[in-house]
């Protein structure tokens, strides 16, 4: 299992933290290599005729051996897809295409298998088309709120297991674009606002996936932080800020997972499209990060042949407009060196060997839906964040007599996210009378019923449901009940952003009316990301359940009734209002393109525009800190049904570590996520803190534990553009430890 801190960047280790315990990347590679394909017998038999099948050789040696046997045509075949396939109606689906997002034919004479790529951000997509089942996991933003690297690893393992069973050998999930824009339609498939947390969680997720011998990718590299105008927008951001935020998240994730691939994004970065951006691809990703896999484009994110090839793109997806015949001609004309084509093919082949898809190709099987359901529920139980429990109404008592359940199809299901991350619901969309399958941009609910699960928890209680469509009906249902539980939703999807942080469909009115009728009101959020809550201090309880996954209702019921003590903490700031954000609105946003079912703002906005991130690294909690603004709920915040105290901070500068005692001061067991932040020395000129480490600790009532948290030197460094590398600023660092970014009772200094 991977854990936070088990990674080493391509950067020089800082002189300060040289003594810090570091698990070198080599250990991670050995773990990956050893775990990939336990049984490799079949490959041994091939190695006599195909020396590259000799598993005692390194992936790079094996790639070189097979590359030497390949024709130019065979190399070219590897560096592009075969078209939109099942993703677009009336497009040919070649033999061998497993019906996912992309297909790259292999080279049978050399024992190189096809590559079948599947979208799998929160579960394997396209299942309905093939009559398959896929587990819907909670949103990755939710999983990031568990701060549990093991949960992230399990998350990836579930997806990897199911990809293999369905015949795929590559995932194109792994989104880690930081939440600069809380209204971004794809935040649900990313991992929040902080580079260390997002990078660690995504790296472990892809590590867990690749341990199943399925190639993973990490996307969308980089700064694809909004959907509005994504194909034409140009991100303007200085290099220092980029390296210390968005690119740092990728750096951490890549250092942990060693992904087969990185997917470059649609947008431009400082004037060049990401998929033909020499700085981002060659200088940073391949040189500084030491990335040895291949860069594939987002679908139709390639914009040239020569410029893209020379800038570091290795594979065009889904088709071959630029990297098919056009690339052959460019090589023949001497515009692209043949060595570049060899490098492209080498990167693909070495990744196939490294992950194990050649030695141990997937064998179609009936995947295990029951284990997936158990795993999804477990992850969601760690992901739910208790935001408010004012009068101790939660956990609900089993003897409760009457419960009013309201809204968001909570009688039958839980909400899922849309776009290429859409997983297909078993039995169809429970919110659709026709029970049809998922449709792009249309809310899909999965068969996991909060009403059923709540009834199981309180068999003696009268549990009634109102859909919330009519406020007066909801009020009537709520009135007089022991407790009213309102499920509110915010449907988000690839392709479009939200106009504001406000809940859609007048749900704020619904909540306010219900709480006026029954002060014992609890709100459960099924949202794609942060939302504003004007009623937050009038209700008794608030749970952030994200998109809860196929085990969501059981997880929510377990938390509501205290069978599970909530432990999640926010991976992103919840602002009180749009006006408090660095950008009060989504740049370039067109309200006409935000409505599900209409043409979306991703593809339908074709006039280029700049998105100027003048805030630099100061987004999320760093913005609220430096602007002295009060968030509604801060990054790292989450309550428990017990309480914890912090004491006895010790700082070990030489080892870049801090230790302190956490005590469970309540009488029931609980898990605390203890967070450590640093404030850089004055010379850095920053007026905000940075997350530098954390640890999850399970404690029985009254128990204490002395924790040691290794601080991550990269998160304490600044990127010196003159030196083109990270450096640790001189002077004293303030070290802060506590339960959230806004509650750090322990303060110390770390000196050189
Ligand atoms: C998309 C998405 C990307 C996805 C790909 C294939 O447009 O941006 O995340 O993997 O196409 O569906």
């Amino acid at each position: 299992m991977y854990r936070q801190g088990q990674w080493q960047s391509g950067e020089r280790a800082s002189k300060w933290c040289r003594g810090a315990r570091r698990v070198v990347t080599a250990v991670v590679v050995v773990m990956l290599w050893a775990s990939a394909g336990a049984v490799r017998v079949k490959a041994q038999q091939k190695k006599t005729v195909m020396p590259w099948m000799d598993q005692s050789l390194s992936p790079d040696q094996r790639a070189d051996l097979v590359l030497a046997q390949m024709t130019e045509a065979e190399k070219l075949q590897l560096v592009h897809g075969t078209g939109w396939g099942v993703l677009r109606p009336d497009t040919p689906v070649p033999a061998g295409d497993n019906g996912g997002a992309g297909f790259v034919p292999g080279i049978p004479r050399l024992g190189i298998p096809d590559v079948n790529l599947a979208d799998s951000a929160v579960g394997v997509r396209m299942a309905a088309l093939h009559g398959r089942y896929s587990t819907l996991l909670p949103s990755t933003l939710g999983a990031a709120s568990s701060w549990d690297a093991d949960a992230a690893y399990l998350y990836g393992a579930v997806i990897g297991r199911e990809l293999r069973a369905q015949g795929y050998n590559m995932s194109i999930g792994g989104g880690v674009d930081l939440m600069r824009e809380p209204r971004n339609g794809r935040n649900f498939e990313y991992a929040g606002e902080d580079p260390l947390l997002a990078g660690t969680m995504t790296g472990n997720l892809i590590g867990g996936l690749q341990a199943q011998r399925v190639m993973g990718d990490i996307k969308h590299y980089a700064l694809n932080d909004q959907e509005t105008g994504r194909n034409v927008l140009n991100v303007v951001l200085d290099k220092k800020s980029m390296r210390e935020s968005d690119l740092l998240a990728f750096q951490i994730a890549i250092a942990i997972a060693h992904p087969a691939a990185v997917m470059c994004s649609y947008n431009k970065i400082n004037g060049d499209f990401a998929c033909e951006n020499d700085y981002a691809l060659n200088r940073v990703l391949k040189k500084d990060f030491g990335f040895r896999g291949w860069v594939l484009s987002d679908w139709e994110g390639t914009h040239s042949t020569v410029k893209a090839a020379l800038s570091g793109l290795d594979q065009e997806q889904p088709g071959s407009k630029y990297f098919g015949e056009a690339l052959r001609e460019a090589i023949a004309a001497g515009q692209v060196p043949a060595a570049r084509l060899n490098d492209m093919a080498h990167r693909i082949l070495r990744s196939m060997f490294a992950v194990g898809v050649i030695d141990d190709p997937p064998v179609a099987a009936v995947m295990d839906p029951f284990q997936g359901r158990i795993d999804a529920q477990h992850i969601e139980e760690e992901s739910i964040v208790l935001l408010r429990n004012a009068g101790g109404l939660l956990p609900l008592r089993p003897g409760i007599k009457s419960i009013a359940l309201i809204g968001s199809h909570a009688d039958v299901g839980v909400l899922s996210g849309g776009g290429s991350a859409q997983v297909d619901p078993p039995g169809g969309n429970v919110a659709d009378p026709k029970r049809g399958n998922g449709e792009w941009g249309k809310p899909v609910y999965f068969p996991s019923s909060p009403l059923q699960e709540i009834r199981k928890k309180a068999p003696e209680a009268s549990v009634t449901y109102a859909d919330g469509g009519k406020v007066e009906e909801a009020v009537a249902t709520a009135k007089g009940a022991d407790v009213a539980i309102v499920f509110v939703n915010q449907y988000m999807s690839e392709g479009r952003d939200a106009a504001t942080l406000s809940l859609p469909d007048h749900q704020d009115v619904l909540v306010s009316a219900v709480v006026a009728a029954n002060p014992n009101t609890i709100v459960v959020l099924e949202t794609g990301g942060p939302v504003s809550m004007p009623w937050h201090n009038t209700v008794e309880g608030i749970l952030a359940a994200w998109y809860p996954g196929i085990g969501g209702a059981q997880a929510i019921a377990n938390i509501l009734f205290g069978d599970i003590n909530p432990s999640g903490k926010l991976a992103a700031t919840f602002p009180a209002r749009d006006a408090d954000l660095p950008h009060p609105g989504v740049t370039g946003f067109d309200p006409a393109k935000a409505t599900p079912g209409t043409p979306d703002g991703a593809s339908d906005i074709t006039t280029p525009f700049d998105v100027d991130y003048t805030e630099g690294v100061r987004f999320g909690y760093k913005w609220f800190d430096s602007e002295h603004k009060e968030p509604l709920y801060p990054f790292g915040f989450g309550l428990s049904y017990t309480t914890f105290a912090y004491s006895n901070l010790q700082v070990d500068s030489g080892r870049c570590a801090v230790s302190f005692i956490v005590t469970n001061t309540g009488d029931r067991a609980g898990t605390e996520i203890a967070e450590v932040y640093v404030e850089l020395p004055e010379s850095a000129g920053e007026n905000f803190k940075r997350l530098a480490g954390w640890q999850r600790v399970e404690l029985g009532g009254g128990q204490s534990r002395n924790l040691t948290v290794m601080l991550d030197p990269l998160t304490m460094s600044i990127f010196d553009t003159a030196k083109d590398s990270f450096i640790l600023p001189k002077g004293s660092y303030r070290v802060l430890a506590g339960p959230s970014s806004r509650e750090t009772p322990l303060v110390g200094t770390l000196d050189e």
Side-chain angles (χ1 to χ4, degrees):
M1 290 295 182
Y2 295 95
R3 288 187 180 286
Q4 174 241 336
Q6 229 179 13
W7 66 281
Q8 186 170 7
S9 74
E11 304 292 334
R12 279 190 314 282
S14 67
K15 72 175 177 57
W16 234 21
C17 297
R18 196 171 295 130
R21 184 176 53 77
R22 304 169 75 82
V23 179
V24 292
T25 305
V27 173
V28 174
V29 172
V30 168
M31 280 169 65
L32 254 184
W33 195 76
S35 64
V39 177
R40 305 162 187 243
V41 174
K42 45 186 157 313
Q44 296 296 5
Q45 290 144 8
K46 291 183 189 169
K47 78 178 182 184
T48 43
V49 292
M50 298 180 182
W52 50 89
M53 288 305 182
D54 178 351
Q55 297 170 26
S56 66
L57 300 173
S58 74
D60 288 299
Q61 289 170 321
R62 298 175 73 180
D64 284 340
L65 283 171
V66 68
L67 199 62
Q69 303 301 320
M70 289 167 67
T71 65
E72 182 188 60
E74 288 169 332
K75 295 171 192 171
L76 281 167
Q77 178 184 300
L78 290 184
V79 300
H80 60 77
T82 54
W84 281 92
V86 299
L87 291 185
R88 289 259 169 97
D90 313 326
T91 46
V93 180
D97 183 329
N98 197 41
F103 177 62
V104 179
I107 306 164
R109 76 177 185 88
L110 299 174
I112 304 303
D114 300 340
V115 177
N116 268 292
L117 304 88
D119 278 306
S120 48
V122 297
V124 182
R125 186 189 176 197
M126 310 303 290
L129 183 67
H130 310 291
R132 297 168 184 157
Y133 174 85
S134 294
T135 296
L136 174 72
L137 289 151
S139 59
T140 45
L141 178 62
S145 309
S146 75
W147 296 53
D148 183 357
D150 288 344
Y153 188 92
L154 173 64
Y155 196 109
V158 174
I159 293 176
R161 285 195 317 249
E162 299 190 7
L163 282 167
R164 272 184 75 85
Q166 294 188 22
Y168 295 106
N169 54 8
M170 184 161 182
S171 156
I172 41 176
V176 71
D177 298 274
L178 291 186
M179 193 188 294
R180 281 183 172 275
E181 175 46 74
R183 297 153 295 209
N184 175 4
R186 298 188 80 169
N187 283 329
F188 74 91
E189 52 177 302
Y190 299 155
E193 69 193 32
D194 180 82
L196 181 62
L197 179 62
T200 302
M201 297 302 282
T202 307
N204 279 279
L205 190 156
I206 299 303
L209 183 144
Q210 294 199 143
Q212 299 294 321
R213 298 178 305 291
V214 172
M215 293 188 287
D217 86 333
I218 288 180
K219 68 183 182 182
H220 305 84
Y221 184 80
L223 289 146
N224 183 172
D225 298 339
Q226 67 178 58
E227 287 300 284
T228 302
R230 71 177 182 178
N231 293 320
V232 296
L233 69 84
N234 173 45
V235 168
V236 178
L237 180 63
D238 65 279
K239 286 179 180 171
K240 177 180 185 295
S241 298
M242 212 187 291
R243 293 298 299 268
E244 293 175 10
S245 59
D246 303 76
L247 298 191
L248 181 55
F250 278 91
Q251 180 173 354
I252 292 169
I254 289 164
I256 291 173
H258 297 273
V262 165
M263 182 191 290
C264 47
S265 57
Y266 286 119
N267 53 285
K268 285 185 176 180
I269 306 170
N270 294 328
D272 289 316
F273 281 109
C275 293
E276 53 186 38
N277 195 300
D278 176 63
Y279 174 74
L281 298 180
N282 283 333
R283 294 269 308 286
V284 177
L285 178 63
K286 293 182 176 179
K287 174 179 165 292
D288 288 357
F289 295 1
F291 175 60
R292 300 160 70 186
W294 83 92
V295 177
L296 75 161
S297 73
D298 200 340
W299 268 229
E300 292 195 349
T302 306
H303 293 273
S304 63
T305 297
V306 176
K307 181 177 180 184
L310 298 181
S311 299
L313 181 66
D314 301 305
Q315 189 183 68
E316 174 188 4
Q317 286 292 358
S320 54
K321 178 179 178 185
Y322 296 102
F323 276 23
E325 178 58 17
L327 181 57
R328 192 197 61 73
E329 287 168 4
I331 293 167
Q335 295 168 304
V336 175
R340 179 75 260 275
L341 176 60
N342 285 339
D343 178 47
M344 292 173 178
H346 177 94
R347 286 173 174 271
I348 295 166
L349 292 164
R350 66 99 44 209
S351 300
M352 295 175 80
F353 285 119
V355 174
V357 298
I358 292 176
D359 299 331
D360 190 6
V363 176
V366 177
M367 42 82 59
D368 179 353
F370 309 107
Q371 190 55 51
R373 161 77 187 64
I374 291 164
D375 293 339
Q377 178 179 329
H378 165 69
I379 294 166
E380 172 64 2
E381 285 168 349
E382 290 198 352
S383 303
I384 290 174
V385 181
L386 178 59
L387 295 174
R388 182 179 171 86
N389 188 16
L393 180 62
L394 290 171
L396 301 177
R397 293 169 310 288
I400 193 165
K401 290 281 173 282
S402 57
I403 298 172
L405 190 59
I406 295 159
S408 197
H409 299 287
D411 54 336
V412 292
V414 292
L415 182 58
S416 62
S420 60
Q422 180 69 63
V423 178
D424 290 326
N429 181 352
V430 290
D432 174 356
K434 300 189 305 299
R435 298 296 290 250
N437 293 323
E439 281 169 51
W440 188 280
K442 201 177 139 199
V444 175
Y445 282 77
F446 272 65
S448 176
S449 162
L451 178 59
Q452 271 178 24
E453 297 310 318
I454 288 169
R455 282 184 168 150
K456 287 181 198 168
K457 293 293 182 185
E460 308 304 317
S462 148
V463 186
T464 53
Y465 171 74
D467 70 11
K470 297 187 187 69
V471 173
E472 60 281 4
E473 182 193 53
V475 166
T477 304
K479 206 168 270 178
D482 287 347
V483 68
I485 306 174
V486 187
F487 277 68
V488 295
N489 65 70
Q490 174 209 42
Y491 172 66
M492 298 292 257
S493 169
E494 175 180 349
R496 63 185 84 247
D497 299 317
T500 75
L501 292 167
S502 301
L503 287 170
D505 307 327
H506 313 296
Q507 293 177 93
D508 287 336
V509 171
L510 173 65
V511 172
S512 300
V514 168
V515 72
N518 187 333
N520 286 342
T521 292
I522 293 160
V523 176
V524 178
L525 307 172
E526 286 184 282
T527 64
V531 291
S532 53
M533 301 176 234
W535 34 262
H536 70 94
N537 55 9
T538 65
V539 300
E540 281 297 307
I542 304 172
L543 279 183
W546 317 107
Y547 295 150
I550 189 68
Q554 291 83 347
I556 291 167
N558 280 339
I559 297 264
L560 284 172
F561 284 85
D563 296 308
I564 297 282
N565 187 354
S567 60
K569 297 206 172 172
L570 294 180
T573 304
F574 271 52
R577 61 193 68 79
D578 295 84
D580 287 348
L581 288 167
H583 303 268
V586 177
T587 308
F589 182 81
D590 174 354
K593 310 216 179 298
T595 313
T598 61
D600 63 43
S603 42
D604 217 38
I605 292 179
T606 53
T607 307
F609 60 91
D610 281 356
V611 180
D612 192 350
Y613 289 132
T614 50
E615 68 275 17
V617 291
R618 296 185 309 121
F619 60 96
Y621 65 90
K622 295 168 185 167
W623 174 258
F624 282 81
D625 276 1
S626 57
E627 295 290 316
H628 309 295
K629 290 178 185 282
E630 273 313 301
L632 177 57
Y633 294 107
F635 174 81
F637 176 79
L639 298 174
S640 168
Y641 292 147
T642 186
T643 50
F644 298 96
Y646 287 68
S647 59
N648 198 26
L649 179 69
Q650 310 282 328
V651 178
D652 180 341
S653 297
R655 290 178 58 236
C656 247
V658 297
S659 57
F660 50 89
I661 295 171
V662 177
T663 300
N664 179 342
T665 47
D667 55 10
R668 63 172 292 160
T671 297
E672 171 68 338
I673 296 165
E675 301 161 28
V676 182
Y677 296 83
V678 295
E679 289 172 359
L680 269 52
E682 296 267 312
S683 60
E686 293 184 349
N687 56 353
F688 51 81
K689 62 179 79 71
R690 299 161 167 221
L691 179 70
W694 73 89
Q695 200 163 112
R696 286 171 53 88
V697 58
E698 291 178 24
L699 293 171
Q703 258 191 345
S704 293
R705 184 84 50 80
N706 191 16
L707 303 183
T708 297
V709 176
M710 307 303 289
L711 304 184
D712 198 298
L714 259 190
T715 59
M716 299 163 59
S717 303
I718 58 173
F719 189 78
D720 182 323
T721 42
K723 296 194 173 92
D724 199 30
S725 73
F726 279 97
I727 56 164
L728 219 58
K730 300 231 175 292
S732 286
Y733 290 70
R734 263 181 104 223
V735 179
L736 309 100
S740 87
S741 63
R742 281 294 173 103
E743 193 182 348
T744 51
L746 302 183
V747 182
T749 54
L750 192 116
D751 289 310
E752 190 148 271

